[in-house]
Amino acid sequence: MNTAKVKILLNGKPHLTGAETIAQLAKKLSPAPQTLLIEHNQLALHRSEWEKVIVQENDRVEVLQVSAGG
């Protein structure tokens, strides 16, 4: 695993991360990553794609927490 930090925009704000994939980033951001919706460089990602998408310098990542309720 690469420990180098890269700068991304996370929900519009600068963020340093050592995550290599979107899946790793999701695990760092939430104790329940299965409740997240993630957009990477303006493309919505299906959860099955998270392990394949590499986090790179200056990526734009938008994360939404989904919760059930009435």
Side-chain angles (χ1 to χ4, degrees):
M1 176 184 227
N2 183 1
T3 58
K5 300 265 185 186
V6 294
K7 183 178 75 174
I8 64 172
L9 278 179
L10 178 63
N11 293 338
K13 297 180 183 174
H15 181 82
L16 281 177
T17 183
E20 289 186 349
T21 65
I22 293 295
Q24 290 173 354
L25 180 62
K27 288 177 188 172
K28 290 181 181 214
L29 295 174
S30 174
Q34 67 275 14
T35 64
L36 300 179
L37 296 176
I38 299 180
E39 183 181 279
H40 176 256
N41 294 330
Q42 301 181 329
L43 294 174
L45 296 178
H46 190 277
R47 196 167 288 114
S48 65
E49 298 174 291
W50 291 4
E51 284 291 340
K52 301 171 194 164
V53 178
I54 305 299
V55 177
Q56 297 182 26
E57 191 80 16
N58 298 317
D59 276 353
R60 294 176 160 271
V61 180
E62 299 291 327
V63 178
L64 296 172
Q65 181 85 39
V66 179
S67 61

